[in-house]
Structures are given as structure tokens and as C-alpha cells.
Amino acid sequence: MVIQSFTPLFAMLSSLVAVFPITLLKQSENRREMWTFIAAIIKFALVISMVPIILGGQTIELTLVSLIPNVPLKLRVDGFGMVFALVASSLWIVTSIYSIGYMRKSKEHAQSRFFACFALALFATLGVAFSANLLTMYIFYEILSLSTYPLVAHHQDKEAKIGGRKYLTYLLGTSIGLALPAMLIIYNITGTLDFGPNGIMAGHELGKLLPVLVLMFMYGFGKAGLMPLHAWLPGAMVAPTPVSSLLHAVAVVKVGVFCVIRVITGIFGANYLTLHGMVPLICYVAGFTVITASLMALYQDNLKRRLAFSTIGQLAYIIMGVGLCSYLGIVGGVAHIAMHAFGKITLFFCAGAIYVATGKKYISQMVGIGKRMPITMAAFFIGSLSVIGFPPTGGLVSKLYMLRGALQADMIPIVVIYLVSSFLNACYFLPIVYKAFFCTDSESQYEDKINEAPLACIIPPVITACVTIALFIYPNLVINLVESAMGVL
Amino acid sequence: MNLIIAKFNYVLYIVLMMMGLWAMIAKSNLIKKVVGLGIFQTAIILFYISISVKKGANIPIIHHHVDPNHAADAAHMVIDAAKYANPLPHVLMLTAIVVGVATLGLALTIIQHIYQEHHTIEEDEILEQLNQ
Amino acid sequence: MNIAAQLPVIVLVLPLLSAFAVTLVSLFNKKLAWPLTVLTMTATFLATTGTLCSVIHNGAIRYRVANWAPPFGIELVIDHLSALVAVVISIVALLVAIFAKETIQKDIPNRVGQFYTLFILCTVGLLGETLTGDAFNLYVLIEITSLTSYALLAFGGSRAYFSTFNYLILGTIGACLYLLGVGYLYIKTGSLNMIDIATLIPALSGSSAIFTAFILILVGLWIKMAFFPFHGWLPNAYTHATSTVSAFAAPLMTKVTVYMSIRLMYFVFGPDYAFSQFTGPVNIVWLAVIAILVGSYYALVQTDIKRMLTYIIIAEVGYMVGGMWLGNAIGLTGTIYHIAADAIMTACLFLALGSIAYKLGSTKISDMAGIFKKMPVTFCAFLVGAAGMIGIPPTAGFFSKWFLISGGIQAGQWAFVVALLVSSLVNAILFFRIIEVGFFGADDEDEHDAVVVQRNEAPLSMLLPTVTAAALVILLGLSTSKVTSLLIENIVGSLF
């Protein structure tokens, strides 16, 4: 039940092609932005068009060119990839609206470069989502690292320079130093790199090399932000907010997590890892990050940095869920990619909206802001509920799946980690919301008058907040896709 | 001792080669370096010529007395290799000499330019100038 | 007489004759030298490509020059390996020929004719080195290439003279050692034809004369290819040359010498002989590891991009020698692939740098401020070359690293694997420093509006070859499996 089709390629190329008109139309802002929208909508439509096929239990494949023996440049769309592609392409549209409002209002320079690199990054993100083997994935992973560098360093000041330097050092260093050799070792053992339904390692005994390889992959895809190789993510928050929101809450970091998921499920195989006792290793490495990142988030006063640490924790959450190697754990983990994405992007949008409207970056300066920007803060509240895992938001669904997955795998300590971290999530988000709305007039730093950010900065968080609630009511949209891929497993 | 006498020319070529090498490495004067280079190349030419030497051999101009009566006599056509020196190494060295001359010419031209540039052909003084 | 059958010799004779034509023409009108050179190089490129196609379809060609039968006459051997290298040479030569126009006009206006003549002759020498099947003929061609390249490098003026002189001394020693090695081979085998010698070697494997020949040839070529510890001459010689000459010499000289050492080691002495002479291939791979690390280390401390690139070349030579001595098929595949990949990547980098130097008059990293805005196309081409050097897919550099590291893993040479990874990371740092300056401006001016830059691209005759080279870096990467299955497997398969 494999269909050959060019649709995934076209879906990827739609944003790559858009790079040219975007760079060429420097003079006319409106026509340039129109191209971003055209590309984003075509991309989303193409991705949507593949959903029924995937839900029908089929996969789409396309071999582009042969690279090295047994490893072609090849695309394959399955449920996992589909979930990720849907999230990335739908949020690109929303983010585009937001970036236009944000970039114009704050009069950013080099906007053409910004939008061109953004389109390029989306091309690479979909490439990762649709990769059929590890090498193809690695190629797009590296393209993504490079194309996002100009975005991180967008402000071109000293802080941006340091942030950008950290960004590339961590991401290139880990991928070349750890992921590449690990991939080569796998290739030399198995002779293939294709993601198999049950992994490709069956029948190969690795002995002591196995934990080393597992760790090399987990840290090698540095975009997953596992501690102690996480420092690039808070550093990358110097980027303009649209970049932080789409790339550093969704595309880039989820690409890292997605790569780890693919390695766990498609290269090693869940059964193989369980059989060789690797589950505790993966879960405790991720669990350590979950708790530490949540604790560190408590101390951040810069709102975007707090969100960044929260993201690090949630990414490890996903890895932990998939690392349980139980059916429910994997479903929950992959579903959490989508659930967390909508929640976290809402939060980032709100942070950006506050910055655009008031120029404030620090949480201590946001006492009473709910009175001035009620819509923004309401969206912020819903987003934080989703990240914590409270009803009525989608975050609850995936977290429940992961909890049940932990029980299924008989890992009680992991259950505890999940619960503690959810509690910590609540600790670092709810006070912000509380102080924004419920404060005495003497404490409030803002006048009691509604003065919101521009419309283009308000609509996107409202949309994503609504989606978060919708995902609670109709979680099957995501869950079915994930399970269609699990059916193959 | 006997070995040295028997292989006298091979020993000599190695001695010459080492002299050339020493001049190229140890001498500071660029012209002397080039002289060393020449000695080095000549040593190799000597080596090649030594290969082809045979005692009592003649120059390799083979002269068949074509006798119409014995045209088909195979034994008549056999050449006794021991009688003739091997011409090939000589021919090769002719080429090598040409290469050597070209190298020498180029080296001297470059030294001229170096002199115009630095007003000296002593390596240490040039290096001093370059490091300033 | 069939033209197609004569292609191998046309590859050599055509540019050789036109070199003299260029000299003559430039006596009357200097402006004609450039078009004639480009024309010659285009024809040469077509001829080598034609030869390559014919080799792919009909197998290796053994061409008897002037119809003298081997082993007495000189023979041209065009198999998959030499055809591949010949095409690479002609591509790079063509790109550099187009590129040369403006820089030569600017740097050495009085000696345009001489430059193009030497340039074509040097290309002929390099092509000859790849195609010849005769050990002594190879010596002559090495010297033709070297002599012309000394002259070309000396065009750099002032500092170039002294560094070229050093290169001349060391290069001649290298060539002489090779000649001496051939002499020892001749003593034992009585033949100069490579294929002929190869059939005679197995019976003589215990001979100390053959061993001496092997060591002499090896060391001689190592000197020519700037393999550690004989690398001293390279950085100065290539740094001080004019940008066109370094764009020509840097990609080709070392790579063709690596090709020659593959030819001699695998096809004359044979892998069995070569590897039985050492207790395992350990020793030389370790030398390669040191070469890679030393090259990378010195590249790190440079402040001049051109000089930095020359040290990267030294590290890259380490890659290739290491891959060659791993003693397995995939390692050799990596080395052969890297000859092509590295030639094109280095050409791309040097061409882009040459364009930048042409406009900026400097190659210092600190002078690159705002270069991204000033010369976006050139700098993007530079980035592609840099990505190749770092080993970012899908550039060609990634795949050569892939093969080489695979070979290292298979041979259990972990030091080599680590050295390759370290060198990738070092390259990432090196190029990233340049990108940062090019993107942000120099160190302490952190205000982006401090540098007001106008777009000021290099002329088309420089832009075109630079961009083509960058495109080739990616194209070669994407056609990796074609190159390996059509060409390299044919060569490597016959050896292992």
C-alpha cells in the first residue's frame, strides 16, 4: 500500500521556489508578502491533500536520486511525518500574518532576507518530516541549521552575534561530531539507513556500543535541546519573536525531537530497545532534562527565556514518551508534538505582542498587563493551560497518553516525573497570568485602558488558542494520524 | 671493501647526491643551493648511466649482414645482448639533462628577481626582510 | 582514421599546439590570447568528456603513441580513473581560464601572452600525468608541470619569488627521488611501461631494489603533494601567487599528485605488494592523521583567508593519503571521489576568494566586513564551497567524508575517523568566522549601520566560473552514486 506521488516533493518545493520572488521583490513589501502567503497556502493545501491517503493506512513514497549504495535521497510520508508537516505548514500561515504585523510595527531591517530564510527553513522542515531514511533526514537537518542562522542573528548586534555563534556551534558541532559518526556506524553494520517499521537493527548485536550509539543520536540531534546541550535555545531567543515562535517553539526544536523519534522507532525499533534494556537510559536522560529545565524556567525573568526553558522541558517530555517504547507512550509523544506546538506558539505570539505594544520583555514588568491587553493575556492563559496539561486544552490528551504509556511500560518513576513537571509548569506560568489580571491598582504598572497590539499580532494567538481548545474536543484528528503510522509498526 | 670497489659508481652517486642535498639544505646562498641542486641531478644521471654499463660492450648500433642466401636463417638474426651497452638509460638521461637545464635556467631567473626585490641572495637576510 | 579513436592523443596534442599558437598570436595582439585560451580549454574539456564517455561505454583504452607497440613505445592508458581525473582537470582549467581575463589584465598586464602559454602548458602537463602509462614519461610530465607552475607562481611578484624558489628546490628534489625510484624499478624489471612492470613485480616482491624504488617513489610524490612532513613549501607558494594562479594550482597540483600515487601504488606495485611492505597500513594512516591535525591546527591560527585555505589543502591531502592506505575498497573510493570533490571545492573557494580580492584588494578575514551585502552572489558561492569543506550535505564534500569515515570504521582506524571529524569541526569554525565577519561586519563595530556598503559584484567573466564551480559542488554531491557506480567501482572493484 505504497503510493508513488510527487505531492510531498511539491509541498516541500513550494516554499523553496518562493525564496526567489521574495528576494527579488525587495522594493514592494506587499507583493513580497503576497508570495509568502501564496507559498504557505499552497504548501498547506498540498499537505492537507495527503491526509486522507495517510488516514487510509497508506504511505506515499518518492525516490529522488540515488546517493550512495542502498541509500537514495528518498521521501516517504507516513502518519508521524504527516502530523509534523501539518503542524509546521499550518502554523507557517499563522506566523506569516504575525510576522508581517511584528516586523512592520517594529521596523525591522532586512525583511526580504528574513522572509526568504523563513521560507527556506520551512522547506527543510518539511524535508525532515517526509524523509524516508536517515541520510535524507540528516541532509535537511543541516540545511535547516544553516538557513535559520541568519534569522537567529537577525539583529546583527553583539547579542545576536553571540546567540548566533552559540546556535551554530551547538547544532553543527553535535550533528557533525555525534550524529554523523553514529549514522556511519549504523550504515556499516546494517548496510542501509531506511526507516523500517520495526527498526533495521534486528539481528545485529551491538553490546556495549548500543548505549553509546543511542546517546550519540539523542545528543547528536542537538535541536532536541537535551541537557546539557541545551544552551543554544535560550541564546537563540535574541531572534525576532516570529522566529522564536515558529522556529524555536515548533519547527527547529521539533525537528530535533522528530529526528530522535525516527531513530528510536525507525532505526533501532521500539522492540529492539526494550529487549536490550535501553528504555531506562533514554527515559532518565530525558527525565533529568524535564525536571532541570522546569526548575530553571522558574528563575527566568525574561519572558522569552522562560518560554525557552519551558520548551526544553517539553521537548524532553516528548522524547521520554517515545523512549518508553510502549504503544501509548509513542502515540502520546508524537501527538504531543502537535499539542505542544499550538500551545507554545500561542505563548510566544503573546510575548511578542506584549513586546510590540509596550516594549516590555521582563515578567516583573508585566504586573497588571491583563488590564491593558486582555485578549492577549486570555490567549496566553489558554496556551499555558495546554502546556501544563489542563482541560480544556489539547495538551491534556497527549499527556494522558504518555502517562498511560509510562504505566504500560511499568515505569513508575517516569509517572512521577510527568506529574512533578506538570506541577512545575503550573508554577512558572500561572503566576504570570494571575499577576496580569488580579493585582491591586497600586501594584499595576499599566493604566486601566485597553490598548492592544496591532491586529496582525492579535489574530494569530487567538487562532492558535482556539485550535488548542479544538484539539481537546477533537483529539482524534491527531491521534488517528499517529495511530495510522503505529498500525504499520 | 670489495663491495665498495665493485659498486664504486653507485657509492659515488650516493655521496654526490648527499653533497647536493646538504648544499640545498645547509647553504644560505641561493646560488649555492642551485649548485647543490645541479649536483643532485647529476648524481642521478650518473646512477642511470651506471645501470647501462657493461664491460667490453660496444655502442648499440646493430649491423645485420643481410646475406640473401641466409635470409631465413633465424640464428643469424639473434642479437647477443652482452655485446651492446643498453642505450635506453642514455636516452632517458638526455631528457633528464634537458629538464635539468630548464630547471637551472628558471632557478637563476627567479634568483635574479629575488635579488632585485631584496638586494641580497642570502637566505637568512631575505627571511629577516620578510619577517619584518 | 577515426577521430574518436584518436581522442586520447587529441586531449594532449591540441592544447600543446595551441600553447605555441597563443605565444605567436600574443606577439601581435595581446587581446587574442584570452579567447584563444578559452577556446582551447573548451575543446580540451569536450575531448576529455568524450574520452570519458567512450571509457564508460567501451571500457579502458590503451593508446599507442605514434603506433609504437608497448613496452617499447610510450603508451597512454585511459581507464575509468584517469578519465575521471582528466575531466576534473579540464573542468577546473576551463573555469580558471575564463576567470583569468580580468585578474591577469590587472595583475600582470605586460605578460599576458606568457601567462596564457604557461597556463596551457601546465594543463597539458597535468593531463599528461593522468593519461600516461609510462613511468619515465611520467617523470618528464611531472617536470613539465612543475617548471610551468614555478613560473606561474612566480608571477605573484615580490614575496612570491622567494617562496617559489623554495618550492622549486623541494619540488625538484621530489621529482628527482621519483626519477631515482624509476631507475631502481628499471634495474629489476627492465621495463618502463607501467602495465608491464605490474606483471613483473609479484615475482620480485622480495627484492630490496624494488623496495627502495617503492620508498623513493612514495617519498618523492609525498614531497610533490605536500604531505606531512613535507608540506612546508605549499602555504607560502600558494598564498603569494596571484589569485588566478592559486585558483589553478591549489585545486589541481596536489590532487593530481595523489592520483599519481594511487596509480603507482595500486596499479604498478599492486595493493598486495604495497600493503605487505609495512606491518599493516598503520604507519602511513597515522602520518595522515597527523597531517590532518597539523593542517587543521595551522589553519586555525591564520588571519588571511588564502593562507588558511592553503593549510586546509594540507589537511585534505592527509584525507586522501589516509583513505588510500586504509586498505579497503571504500577507503580508496573515498580517496578517488575526494580527488574530484576536493578539486572542485577548492576551485570554488579560490575563485570566489579571487573575485573578492579583485574587488577588495585584500584577503584578510578582518577586511571581509559587509561582504555579504557587497558581493552577495560571490559570497554565496564561497559559502557553498565552505559547506563542502565542512562536509554539509548534499555538497560533494559530505560524501567524500562519508566514504572515508566508512573506510576508517571498516579498517578499525578510529584515529583516522576522529581526525576527519575534528577537521570537519575545525573547518566549520574557520569558515564560520569568515561568515560572521561577512555577515555582521568587523569585530567591534557592532552597529550594523556603521558600514554602509554598496552592491559591487565582480565582472561576469569572474562571476560565471565561480557560480559554475559552486553549482558543480552540489551537482557532484547529488550524482555521487552515478560517479561511484559508473567509474569508481570499476577501478576499485578490480583491486579488492
Side-chain angles (χ1 to χ4, degrees):
Chain A
M1 285 194 298
V2 173
I3 295 175
Q4 300 288 328
S5 163
F6 278 97
T7 324
L9 182 66
F10 292 145
M12 284 162 60
L13 288 182
S14 59
S15 56
L16 183 66
V17 172
V19 170
F20 298 102
I22 290 171
T23 32
L24 293 178
L25 292 172
K26 261 188 183 159
Q27 311 308 326
S28 151
E29 288 189 343
N30 290 331
R31 271 162 60 201
R32 182 184 66 202
E33 261 80 296
M34 187 187 75
W35 276 103
T36 300
F37 275 110
I38 292 176
I41 289 166
I42 292 178
K43 193 183 228 23
F44 186 57
L46 285 170
V47 173
I48 285 278
S49 74
M50 289 186 285
V51 171
I53 304 172
I54 307 300
L55 278 177
Q58 290 168 311
T59 54
I60 301 173
E61 283 192 1
L62 180 67
T63 306
L64 297 173
V65 279
S66 167
L67 292 175
I68 37 180
N70 282 332
V71 187
L73 190 65
K74 186 176 173 186
L75 304 178
R76 183 190 294 134
V77 188
D78 64 356
F80 288 180
M82 201 64 217
V83 170
F84 187 32
L86 265 179
V87 171
S89 59
S90 61
L91 286 177
W92 189 28
I93 304 179
V94 185
T95 311
S96 298
I97 305 174
Y98 184 79
S99 3
I100 292 165
Y102 183 92
M103 300 297 277
R104 288 195 186 171
K105 175 81 200 262
S106 47
K107 296 204 174 52
E108 291 282 352
H109 70 125
Q111 292 191 19
S112 277
R113 185 181 70 206
F114 177 85
F115 285 107
C117 287
F118 223 119
L120 197 61
L122 260 292
F123 158 73
T125 307
L126 251 68
V128 171
F130 293 157
S131 293
N133 57 47
L134 198 52
L135 182 63
T136 313
M137 199 165 81
Y138 183 82
I139 291 175
F140 289 114
Y141 180 91
E142 294 288 35
I143 294 176
L144 185 62
S145 303
L146 295 181
S147 61
T148 45
Y149 169 70
L151 294 174
V152 171
H154 185 81
H155 289 303
Q156 298 191 347
D157 52 15
K158 204 150 210 165
E159 205 190 345
K161 193 172 176 174
I162 293 166
R165 192 181 285 177
K166 216 182 229 174
Y167 185 76
L168 266 199
T169 315
Y170 274 78
L171 295 188
L172 279 187
T174 50
S175 68
I176 294 175
L178 296 170
L180 176 64
M183 181 162 71
L184 273 157
I185 292 171
I186 296 279
Y187 179 68
N188 276 293
I189 291 170
T190 62
T192 174
L193 287 174
D194 220 41
F195 299 130
N198 288 307
I200 53 173
M201 298 304 293
H204 297 286
E205 287 305 319
L206 293 175
K208 279 177 189 155
L209 195 57
L210 180 62
V212 178
L213 276 180
V214 169
L215 286 178
M216 276 169 92
F217 274 122
M218 283 173 75
Y219 284 107
F221 292 111
K223 291 195 177 89
L226 280 179
M227 284 189 176
L229 296 178
H230 66 284
W232 63 271
L233 185 57
M237 289 301 147
V238 295
T241 306
V243 175
S244 312
S245 53
L246 182 59
L247 296 179
H248 300 131
V250 184
V252 171
V253 289
K254 296 291 159 59
V255 159
V257 171
F258 190 77
C259 291
V260 176
I261 293 177
R262 280 289 197 212
V263 169
I264 289 176
T265 58
I267 295 291
F268 290 112
N271 292 336
Y272 184 84
L273 287 176
T274 318
L275 208 66
H276 289 79
M278 286 299 118
V279 173
L281 175 76
I282 302 172
C283 287
Y284 290 129
V285 167
F288 167 74
T289 307
V290 170
I291 298 296
T292 320
S294 302
L295 287 173
M296 286 173 86
L298 281 173
Y299 294 101
Q300 305 301 324
D301 191 30
N302 184 323
L303 180 56
K304 272 171 82 180
R305 274 182 78 86
R306 184 176 286 195
L307 293 177
F309 276 102
S310 160
T311 306
I312 295 170
Q314 298 291 320
L315 294 173
Y317 232 93
I318 299 172
I319 294 180
M320 200 156 73
V322 176
L324 289 167
C325 292
S326 61
Y327 181 86
L328 291 171
I330 296 175
V331 172
V334 179
H336 200 59
I337 289 183
M339 305 303 186
H340 171 249
F342 284 99
K344 188 50 70 56
I345 204 167
T346 312
L347 295 175
F348 270 105
F349 281 158
C350 295
I354 294 171
Y355 178 70
V356 167
T358 66
K360 298 287 194 285
K361 287 182 186 173
Y362 296 96
I363 293 164
S364 50
Q365 300 167 325
M366 291 177 190
V367 178
I369 197 163
K371 288 173 184 163
R372 184 173 157 183
M373 307 176 71
I375 307 175
T376 310
M377 288 319 285
F380 190 93
F381 179 57
I382 296 170
S384 52
L385 284 187
S386 181
V387 174
I388 300 164
F390 259 14
T393 56
L396 174 71
V397 182
S398 48
K399 282 206 176 176
L400 275 181
Y401 264 96
M402 285 193 275
L403 271 176
R404 284 164 61 202
L407 291 170
Q408 200 178 34
D410 232 2
M411 298 278 288
I412 302 304
I414 301 302
V415 178
V416 176
I417 292 178
Y418 272 129
L419 294 175
V420 169
S421 110
S422 287
F423 172 70
L424 288 172
N425 293 162
C427 289
Y428 61 72
F429 276 136
L430 293 183
I432 305 174
V433 183
Y434 181 81
K435 285 215 169 135
F437 286 109
F438 306 105
C439 61
T440 57
D441 288 344
S442 58
E443 274 176 339
S444 176
Q445 297 167 351
Y446 297 90
E447 286 176 30
D448 202 356
K449 190 176 144 201
I450 292 174
N451 183 8
E452 283 277 4
L455 212 57
C457 290
I458 296 291
I459 296 173
V462 172
I463 296 176
T464 50
C466 294
V467 174
T468 316
I469 295 173
L471 282 174
F472 173 71
I473 306 169
Y474 306 107
N476 282 346
L477 213 73
V478 173
I479 302 290
N480 283 352
L481 267 178
V482 180
E483 288 193 325
S484 76
M486 297 297 287
V488 182
L489 290 185
Chain B
M1 196 63 209
N2 280 336
L3 190 76
I4 294 174
I5 294 166
K7 305 271 181 192
F8 172 70
N9 35 11
Y10 292 99
V11 175
L12 190 67
Y13 109 78
I14 288 180
V15 171
L16 275 176
M17 215 168 86
M18 290 306 130
M19 279 169 65
L21 200 62
W22 175 76
M24 278 187 278
I25 293 167
K27 288 291 170 187
S28 168
N29 188 307
L30 298 186
I31 297 284
K32 285 184 183 164
K33 276 179 189 276
V34 175
V35 171
L37 193 67
I39 297 174
F40 193 80
Q41 286 175 320
T42 315
I44 293 172
I45 293 174
L46 182 62
F47 162 75
Y48 263 83
I49 300 302
S50 309
I51 296 173
S52 64
V53 167
K54 285 175 196 157
K55 218 166 210 162
N58 210 337
I59 47 167
I61 298 172
I62 297 167
H63 193 244
H64 291 298
H65 298 279
V66 182
D67 188 342
N69 300 328
H70 295 92
D73 184 357
H76 208 78
M77 301 294 285
V78 170
I79 300 156
D80 182 8
K83 275 192 194 164
Y84 302 105
N86 185 350
L88 190 67
H90 295 84
V91 178
L92 298 182
M93 282 314 103
L94 220 53
T95 321
I97 289 168
V98 174
V99 169
V101 170
T103 315
L104 181 67
L106 191 64
L108 290 176
T109 317
I110 292 176
I111 291 177
Q112 263 187 341
H113 279 289
I114 291 175
Y115 183 73
Q116 280 165 6
E117 189 72 29
H118 302 283
H119 304 289
T120 172
I121 52 167
E122 295 294 323
E123 191 182 20
D124 41 1
E125 292 171 23
I126 296 169
L127 284 174
E128 214 168 272
Q129 285 186 26
L130 285 175
N131 288 334
Q132 272 168 11
Chain C
M1 184 133 104
N2 187 345
I3 292 279
Q6 303 298 324
L7 267 182
V9 83
I10 290 176
V11 168
L12 298 179
V13 171
L14 178 102
L16 185 64
L17 293 179
S18 86
F20 300 112
V22 168
T23 318
L24 276 178
V25 163
S26 62
L27 286 180
F28 301 105
N29 187 348
K30 277 184 184 170
K31 283 195 175 140
L32 286 176
W34 180 71
L36 196 59
T37 309
V38 171
L39 201 69
T40 310
M41 288 308 165
T42 316
T44 313
F45 168 64
L46 292 177
T48 50
T49 318
T51 322
L52 181 73
C53 292
S54 128
V55 168
I56 289 173
H57 290 297
N58 310 324
I61 304 167
R62 292 181 68 176
Y63 182 90
R64 299 169 180 183
V65 175
N67 220 8
W68 287 89
F72 306 107
I74 291 172
E75 194 185 26
L76 300 182
V77 178
I78 302 106
D79 56 7
H80 295 79
L81 178 58
S82 48
L84 172 71
V85 178
V87 169
V88 170
I89 293 171
S90 61
I91 289 177
V92 174
L94 176 61
L95 292 177
V96 175
I98 300 172
F99 180 85
K101 188 183 176 195
E102 305 286 339
T103 47
I104 294 306
Q105 197 60 48
K106 187 182 169 195
D107 293 346
I108 38 174
N110 303 325
R111 285 172 289 177
V112 176
Q114 286 99 310
F115 169 80
Y116 286 114
T117 309
L118 287 168
F119 173 73
I120 299 176
L121 278 178
C122 194
T123 315
V124 175
L126 288 168
L127 286 169
E129 283 175 5
T130 48
L131 300 186
T132 186
D134 185 282
F136 185 79
N137 193 231
L138 183 59
Y139 164 74
V140 177
L141 288 160
I142 289 176
E143 284 291 17
I144 290 178
T145 318
S146 307
L147 286 170
T148 45
S149 70
Y150 304 146
L152 283 172
L153 290 167
F155 275 133
S158 65
R159 284 172 168 246
Y161 295 126
F162 185 62
S163 50
T164 309
F165 182 79
N166 279 334
Y167 176 29
L168 184 144
I169 296 282
L170 266 168
T172 311
I173 293 177
C176 284
L177 290 182
Y178 172 79
L179 178 63
L180 204 55
V182 171
Y184 278 103
L185 268 183
Y186 182 71
I187 294 180
K188 271 294 172 192
T189 61
S191 175
L192 292 170
N193 182 291
M194 291 186 189
I195 297 174
D196 200 32
I197 297 174
T199 56
L200 297 168
I201 290 263
L204 299 165
S205 60
S207 154
S208 57
I210 298 285
F211 182 68
T212 315
F214 185 60
I215 297 295
L216 285 172
I217 289 177
L218 214 59
V219 174
L221 291 179
W222 281 353
I223 295 176
K224 296 290 303 179
M225 72 170 86
F227 181 58
F228 178 86
F230 308 110
H231 61 279
W233 59 268
L234 188 139
N236 280 330
Y238 286 3
T239 310
H240 298 144
T242 64
S243 54
T244 311
V245 174
S246 14
F248 178 68
L252 294 182
M253 292 297 176
T254 51
K255 260 54 85 178
V256 174
T257 318
V258 170
Y259 158 81
M260 288 191 280
S261 63
I262 293 178
R263 172 68 63 196
L264 288 159
M265 180 176 145
Y266 279 92
F267 292 88
V268 176
F269 289 96
D272 293 338
Y273 181 82
F275 288 114
S276 65
Q277 295 311 309
F278 298 95
T279 46
V282 180
N283 318 347
I284 290 166
V285 175
W286 274 95
L287 264 184
V289 169
I290 299 173
I292 296 172
L293 297 178
V294 167
S296 301
Y297 171 75
Y298 279 104
L300 266 177
V301 293
Q302 303 306 322
T303 54
D304 185 283
I305 301 180
K306 204 166 172 187
R307 209 175 169 75
M308 183 193 95
L309 289 179
T310 60
Y311 281 103
I312 293 180
I313 292 175
I314 292 169
E316 304 277 324
V317 169
Y319 286 21
M320 289 181 275
V321 176
M324 199 160 104
W325 280 92
L326 285 173
N328 55 33
I330 195 147
L332 185 62
T333 307
T335 299
I336 295 171
Y337 184 83
H338 199 60
I339 291 178
D342 195 39
I344 292 175
M345 290 185 313
T346 317
C348 174
L349 286 170
F350 272 92
L351 288 176
L353 191 65
S355 313
I356 292 173
Y358 177 78
K359 279 287 173 195
L360 239 59
S362 163
T363 54
K364 288 224 177 306
I365 296 179
S366 50
D367 292 333
M368 291 299 132
I371 195 76
F372 183 71
K373 281 227 172 99
K374 197 170 184 180
M375 308 174 75
V377 181
T378 311
F379 197 63
C380 281
F382 186 83
L383 290 186
V384 171
M389 284 292 178
I390 300 169
I392 287 168
T395 56
F398 173 75
F399 294 100
S400 48
K401 287 221 172 81
W402 178 279
F403 292 128
L404 289 170
I405 294 177
S406 283
I409 292 173
Q410 269 181 24
Q413 293 283 4
W414 295 101
F416 186 61
V417 174
V418 171
L420 283 172
L421 292 171
V422 167
S423 134
S424 289
L425 291 172
V426 169
N427 285 355
I429 296 170
L430 292 174
F431 287 109
F432 181 61
R433 272 198 320 212
I434 301 167
I435 294 168
E436 208 174 53
V437 176
F439 188 70
F440 287 107
D443 246 349
D444 293 316
E445 303 169 72
D446 42 341
E447 288 311 310
H448 46 83
D449 45 12
V451 209
V452 181
V453 275
Q454 291 289 312
R455 165 126 17 149
N456 187 7
E457 272 289 359
L460 191 68
S461 71
M462 301 172 88
L463 213 53
L464 185 76
T466 313
V467 172
T468 314
L472 279 174
V473 171
I474 295 175
L475 214 66
L476 180 65
L478 289 177
S479 51
T480 304
S481 82
K482 274 229 169 65
V483 175
T484 47
S485 64
L486 281 178
L487 297 169
I488 301 179
E489 266 172 25
N490 257 305
I491 311 155
V492 177
S494 66
L495 293 169
F496 290 100

